[in-house]
Amino acid sequence: MNASCLTIKELTDAVGGGLTPRMVRHYHQLGLLPQPVRSPSNYRLYTQKDVLRLQRIVALKQQGFQLNHIRNILEVEPEADTTVNLMGQLQQQYRAVMQQISQLRQTASALEGLLGRDRHCQIMQAEVLAQLKLLDVETQAGLGGLENLWSGLDAEIHTHSEAFSESLQRLLPDLSHRSEIEQHLISQLVLACGDVSLVSFVKLSRDAIAASRGALSASCQIVVDTQTVAAALDQTRLLHLGCHIETLIDNPHITTATEAELAFWQHREWRSKLQQVNQGCVLVVGYAPSVLIEICEAIANQKIQPALVIGMPIGFSHAPAAKRQLMQQGIPFITVEGTLGGGALAATALNALVESLIDKPDCHCYLKNIVDSAEC
């Protein structure tokens, strides 16, 4: 046996990442990994080249790529023309994935339409489930019967207001391993976007809840990227906590992620303003990825020291990268992985934290402050 070669067990140990011999054999069958040479005793023998290829496969898989996508990426040489071909292939695969997601979303919506019914609708829900088993959809009359079943369920919505919490209990995954405040935060985020799948993308550092409660209780400064985010904050509770809201991009005409991103790049004074935030503040980013990138750089360079960063900007390249940088800074954070995000989600996250500290005061004293600010 060649001393430089590895057995399949030695190979998996060298690569790591949870790789097993069974997975390696599966990759051989899929063509992801070339068939190895054999020893006189018929053992598979692997080289350092196989180790590097498997490390790439494991790394790409951990980033969310499917095995058929990984094969295409690894097979393409770095020349420009083949790179163009690869991009075309990946675009086709992306469209196919999005079509699958759309089909699954339709199925999820149908299930949510049944499972998400509150107790007032359960009698009709049980009737619908019983009739679905007997439904003959081979005929036009059968299809009409299906529409009648949904109409019967929908008729119940006129009898009472929707019980959001009750519906969510049937739809959310098991969150018992999370604290009560985290469960409430995640539930509020789901309600803000209407998508239960968001749960798997919400990421909190271990110290995020404790850090936020300490900062808010100490009347910390709240710094948001746009006025749209500021307008969505629970100003009643924040006022009673003594928290002052500061807006980085303080132009009321900027209301979209595109406008916020461009404005932040064009106006140096807003970038300088970020360097002057108070120590122990809470930073809330809901639109511009560049704001979150600038925050991460300032933290890394020890120019600012926030108590918490809520980073949920929108974007398809910069936003996911900025969120990854945030999670590597070693400071308390709350974010939503990938392209998902927005001002509503960012504001909802902060509001949920504030709500855990103080019941909403039965007054409108914050209105005077808003009027005074508008007159200035």
Side-chain angles (χ1 to χ4, degrees), residues 108 110-118 125 129 166-171:
L111 291 170
E112 287 164 355
L114 291 172
L115 297 174
R117 304 286 170 164
D118 54 39
Q125 178 192 54
L129 288 172
E166 189 178 332
S167 297
L168 273 179
Q169 289 176 2
R170 295 187 177 86
L171 299 174

Side-chain angles (χ1 to χ4, degrees), residues 107-172:
T107 302
S109 295
L111 291 170
E112 287 164 355
L114 291 172
L115 297 174
R117 304 286 170 164
D118 54 39
R119 58 188 176 85
H120 294 284
C121 297
Q122 283 181 0
I123 296 176
M124 180 59 72
Q125 178 192 54
E127 182 180 336
V128 168
L129 288 172
Q131 292 187 44
L132 280 175
K133 297 178 182 179
L134 306 175
L135 193 63
D136 177 13
V137 295
E138 298 295 329
T139 65
Q140 194 63 36
L143 292 174
L146 183 59
E147 290 297 324
N148 290 335
L149 290 180
W150 288 114
S151 296
L153 269 177
D154 293 342
E156 294 297 315
I157 66 175
H158 300 286
T159 64
H160 61 281
S161 60
E162 182 162 353
F164 290 107
S165 298
E166 189 178 332
S167 297
L168 273 179
Q169 289 176 2
R170 295 187 177 86
L171 299 174
L172 287 174

Side-chain angles (χ1 to χ4, degrees), residues 56-67:
R56 295 189 184 106
I57 292 171
V58 170
L60 289 169
K61 189 177 178 184
Q62 289 175 344
Q63 290 300 312
F65 287 94
Q66 300 298 309
L67 294 179

Side-chain angles (χ1 to χ4, degrees), residues 35-75:
Q35 290 294 335
V37 298
R38 297 273 184 166
S39 71
S41 303
N42 205 33
Y43 287 104
R44 292 181 173 89
L45 299 179
Y46 297 91
T47 65
Q48 192 61 33
K49 184 178 180 180
D50 295 317
V51 173
L52 293 175
R53 186 175 179 90
L54 270 172
Q55 286 175 335
R56 295 189 184 106
I57 292 171
V58 170
L60 289 169
K61 189 177 178 184
Q62 289 175 344
Q63 290 300 312
F65 287 94
Q66 300 298 309
L67 294 179
N68 58 330
H69 304 162
I70 294 173
R71 183 193 300 110
N72 289 334
I73 292 172
L74 295 181
E75 286 178 354

